[in-house]
Amino acid sequence: MASPWKHPDSGIYYHRVGVPKDIRDQIGKSVIKYSLNTRDFTEAKRLFASHYADTQALFQQARNRTTLSTKDIETLAQRWLQAAVDSMEEAGDFENYLADFGGNITDASSLISDALEKGYKAQLRLVRYHVDTVLSDNNVLLTEGSDEYKALTGRICWRLMELSKIAQDRFYGNWKSAPEVAQRLSDHKLGTEKTKLNYKPLSVMVDDFTKYKTDRGDWSGKTLRDPVSVYEQFIEYIGADVDPHTITRDQLRDFVALLHQLPQRYTIIPRLKNKSLEKLVEIAADEELPLLSPTTVKKKFVFIKSLFSHAEQEEWVDKNRATGITVPKGKSKKRVPYRPEELQAIFDETRDAERPSDYWSPRISLATGMRSNEILQLTKADVQQANGVWFLDVNTDTDDETGKDKKAKTDNSQRKVPVPQVLIDAGFLAYVESIKEGRLFPCVALAAADGTYSFTYSKRFNPMLKRLGLKPSQDEMIIRDFHSFRHTFRSNARAYGIAKENAELIGGWKSQNDRTAGDNYGLHYDAFIAELKVNADKIDYSDITF
């Protein structure tokens, strides 16, 4: 559900919901706000859930412009009377509904009759509070001064007269009397309460959009985990059953502001997993944890924008209210390539590694620009030879170990990567020969978290960078990780005059839509592998000991 708002000074939680612009004139305000009278978040969430549902129903009623029948108005008056009798008898405050004429305590019928005779304004002065209370309690919207509001004011006056007589009986010890109404209507269902939902609730809209994206093959594994995580947080903040039409731009901006307050790596750090948004913000503030970068927040909000863009196209909402909402810019961290001395430190650290993946993964990535998961899912069958040139076949064939298709970040990631001479000289082909069958690096298990090998491998590689003093601090505006090998390869390709087209084919950067005939030739004809190898071998690694 959406979360209650915590007052920054008092710590008391409030129900605070922005009113959509299209119904503000009918509601009479831009924000509906009132105290939940608690500082306990759990209790506030419980209270907020009910109030929030009522608020959404109020918005729906305003849009439907439902009117009240004479029977509905009498029903409201009787509901008020029943609640007032119960409250009065429980508190024993009978005098509040009686008149004192020179010490003679009697009912207030004469005062109420006088107001009924004088008309609406006199009646309103007498029962305005009671009228607004019953409307609020029953989630009914009436404009003050409207015919319906005037009619309800009059009916409440008549029921107040009845309440006063009951108060007099109780004051003098008579507990037998009861409300004298011709027909008990307090349990009657109002016409406004019969309104059926004619919208797709937010949670359903999210599910339908997610299914659309997965069915198209756009999202799977890690690419599915990220948007699902954001949508779960959005639903927690806004509410699962909320009408998407009622979500305001202010609410979307507030959600962006909330994302800015979340701690980094909260989906990975065990003690932060499965915590509510409110709790995550609280922990981050109390412990002064580093927060999500503006770039990360922007990426998360893109999923929200995509959701509403699709919803508008499918006419699930009348308007895309996320359009034009921007994430405040901040300084973005930049991934940097490795310097020769940094590469040497990594290679020295891994030269005698027990796990083959620790030795070969950095070296393969540096020499080819391959991603870590592309390397770690390679099988012996993927190391092939054509026209005397060895190459690595990056594909999405079924992984016999898992029974699932291997992953490729994009369609263009599927390619044939020549094995550079520097890797052959380092003994890569001999290592491949030592593998009987299956994956080259079975020592790295598939991660349950996102279905990749790279996730598991990063748990070893990143701590090594930290030990070597190569991991940037939080204050530095740079990123140095395994992916930096890929950046290093591209920098080397430029430095050693490798044609951009060839470098992109080796690394899998070329856009699928921008492929030329030459690009496709390189993909489908083994003869082109020789040219790619010649290019890859242009890079001089003589200043590094592999």
Side-chain angles (χ1 to χ4, degrees):
M1 290 295 293
S3 296
W5 176 75
K6 184 179 181 180
H7 195 284
D9 297 326
S10 68
I12 294 176
Y13 287 96
Y14 282 73
H15 170 279
R16 187 178 73 168
V17 178
V19 178
K21 286 184 178 180
D22 61 316
I23 55 174
R24 285 181 183 175
D25 289 342
Q26 294 166 266
I27 301 293
K29 57 184 73 175
S30 60
V31 176
I32 295 178
K33 174 185 173 184
Y34 48 82
S35 174
L36 296 174
N37 298 313
T38 181
R39 290 185 174 86
D40 180 77
F41 181 66
T42 302
E43 175 65 9
K45 286 277 286 185
R46 185 187 68 79
L47 295 171
F48 184 84
S50 175
H51 290 300
Y52 193 83
D54 289 343
T55 301
Q56 296 303 315
L58 181 66
F59 292 166
Q60 184 68 20
Q61 180 194 338
R63 285 196 168 92
N64 292 341
R65 292 177 172 80
T66 305
T67 58
L68 295 180
S69 65
T70 302
K71 186 177 181 180
D72 287 335
I73 290 172
E74 179 58 31
T75 296
L76 287 172
Q78 290 192 24
R79 286 183 182 180
W80 172 82
L81 174 60
Q82 188 61 56
V85 169
D86 293 344
S87 176
M88 178 187 68
E89 292 181 342
E90 181 179 352
D93 54 353
F94 311 121
E95 294 93 335
N96 290 340
Y97 302 96
L98 298 175
D100 186 349
F101 295 102
N104 182 25
I105 305 298
T106 184
D107 66 70
S109 58
S110 60
L111 297 176
I112 300 170
S113 296
D114 184 57
L116 286 168
E117 290 180 5
K118 290 182 177 179
Y120 168 66
K121 289 186 178 179
Q123 297 165 22
L124 188 61
R125 285 194 294 269
L126 188 63
V127 298
R128 181 202 296 268
Y129 172 78
H130 301 308
V131 173
D132 290 343
T133 296
V134 74
L135 289 174
S136 176
D137 289 347
N138 289 274
N139 196 40
V140 174
L141 175 67
L142 290 182
T143 302
E144 185 175 316
S146 65
D147 291 342
E148 293 167 313
Y149 192 94
K150 290 179 179 179
L152 180 60
T153 301
R155 297 314 302 166
I156 293 292
C157 282
W158 283 106
R159 294 303 163 219
L160 178 60
M161 187 180 298
E162 191 172 351
L163 176 64
S164 183
K165 292 178 180 179
I166 295 173
Q168 182 182 21
D169 288 342
R170 301 295 184 267
F171 183 78
Y172 288 109
N174 178 7
W175 287 80
K176 294 181 180 180
S177 58
E180 298 177 358
V181 291
Q183 183 182 6
R184 297 291 301 185
L185 293 177
S186 59
D187 294 330
H188 169 68
K189 204 172 188 67
L190 300 175
T192 58
E193 295 170 335
K194 294 179 180 179
T195 302
K196 294 182 179 179
L197 294 179
N198 57 359
Y199 61 86
K200 187 188 292 286
L202 177 61
S203 59
V204 177
M205 187 172 88
V206 166
D207 289 344
D208 288 353
F209 178 58
T210 303
K211 184 177 185 301
Y212 164 75
K213 296 291 281 185
T214 53
D215 287 348
R216 287 204 334 168
D218 295 338
W219 293 346
S220 64
K222 184 178 180 181
T223 58
L224 175 61
R225 182 187 63 179
D226 291 341
V228 166
S229 175
V230 175
Y231 293 146
E232 287 175 349
Q233 292 176 330
F234 189 60
I235 289 173
E236 177 189 349
Y237 181 68
I238 297 295
D241 299 325
V242 168
D243 177 0
H245 292 86
T246 67
I247 297 174
T248 66
R249 291 173 66 82
D250 284 342
Q251 286 177 295
L252 294 172
R253 292 190 184 96
D254 287 346
F255 182 67
V256 171
L258 190 63
L259 292 177
H260 277 290
Q261 301 174 60
L262 296 180
Q264 293 179 7
R265 298 170 59 82
Y266 64 86
T267 60
I268 298 174
I269 299 174
R271 68 186 184 87
L272 298 181
K273 284 184 177 180
N274 303 318
K275 289 287 192 298
S276 68
L277 286 172
E278 180 85 12
K279 194 64 178 177
L280 285 171
V281 170
E282 182 181 326
I283 292 173
D286 290 345
E287 301 181 17
E288 298 183 352
L289 300 178
L291 305 180
L292 297 182
S293 68
T295 300
T296 301
V297 172
K298 184 176 182 179
K299 288 180 179 177
K300 288 181 177 292
F301 194 65
V302 163
F303 294 126
I304 302 299
K305 285 189 168 183
S306 298
L307 170 68
F308 279 91
S309 176
H310 183 76
E312 183 183 30
Q313 292 174 8
E314 295 297 314
E315 298 182 346
W316 298 343
V317 295
D318 57 344
K319 182 180 180 182
N320 180 3
R321 292 178 175 83
T323 299
I325 293 181
T326 58
V327 176
K329 291 183 178 180
K331 292 183 178 180
S332 299
K333 291 189 177 185
K334 182 180 180 180
R335 182 173 278 106
V336 295
Y338 287 108
R339 297 190 294 268
E341 62 271 21
E342 294 168 342
L343 291 170
Q344 193 61 65
I346 294 171
F347 288 179
D348 288 346
E349 180 72 11
T350 58
R351 182 163 290 109
D352 299 319
E354 293 182 4
R355 294 191 176 193
S357 57
D358 291 346
Y359 178 87
W360 286 112
S361 294
R363 290 161 173 81
I364 293 174
S365 185
L366 172 66
T368 65
M370 288 178 66
R371 303 174 179 91
S372 60
N373 202 67
E374 293 174 345
I375 297 169
L376 295 168
Q377 68 184 5
L378 285 172
T379 66
K380 184 170 183 175
D382 293 330
V383 185
Q384 302 175 22
Q385 191 178 34
N387 298 323
V389 177
W390 288 96
F391 65 89
L392 305 176
D393 186 13
V394 181
N395 57 64
T396 57
D397 294 345
T398 301
D399 185 340
D400 293 335
E401 184 177 325
T402 64
K404 299 179 180 179
D405 291 345
K406 289 183 285 188
K407 297 180 181 295
K409 187 171 183 180
T410 65
D411 290 340
N412 200 60
S413 298
Q414 300 182 62
R415 62 197 188 279
K416 295 176 180 178
V417 181
V419 179
Q421 192 62 41
V422 68
L423 292 180
I424 296 175
D425 293 344
F428 177 66
L429 294 179
Y431 170 72
V432 173
E433 185 63 27
S434 71
I435 303 297
K436 293 182 179 180
E437 60 181 358
R439 284 198 304 122
L440 298 184
F441 306 108
C443 53
V444 181
L446 194 70
D450 65 352
T452 67
Y453 296 107
S454 56
F455 186 90
T456 303
Y457 176 71
S458 67
K459 301 297 184 182
R460 295 178 59 82
F461 184 80
N462 289 329
M464 180 190 69
L465 286 185
K466 194 170 184 180
R467 289 197 309 272
L468 295 175
L470 300 180
K471 197 70 174 173
S473 67
Q474 295 290 349
D475 297 334
E476 295 182 78
M477 298 306 295
I478 61 173
I479 300 171
R480 191 181 294 115
D481 54 14
F482 190 90
H483 207 72
S484 296
F485 288 116
R486 187 166 164 82
H487 282 241
T488 308
F489 170 77
R490 191 155 198 172
S491 295
N492 285 339
R494 285 194 293 266
Y496 286 93
I498 297 176
K500 183 173 182 287
E501 175 188 41
N502 290 334
E504 289 179 336
L505 283 170
I506 295 171
W509 278 292
K510 190 72 174 177
S511 168
Q512 180 79 11
N513 296 328
D514 293 339
R515 278 182 171 158
T516 64
D519 296 336
N520 288 324
Y521 177 80
L523 288 170
H524 300 295
Y525 293 90
D526 295 339
F528 195 63
I529 293 296
E531 181 178 338
L532 292 182
K533 184 177 185 304
V534 169
N535 278 270
D537 286 342
K538 288 181 179 180
I539 301 176
D540 181 10
Y541 298 100
S542 59
D543 55 348
I544 302 170
T545 302
F546 264 61

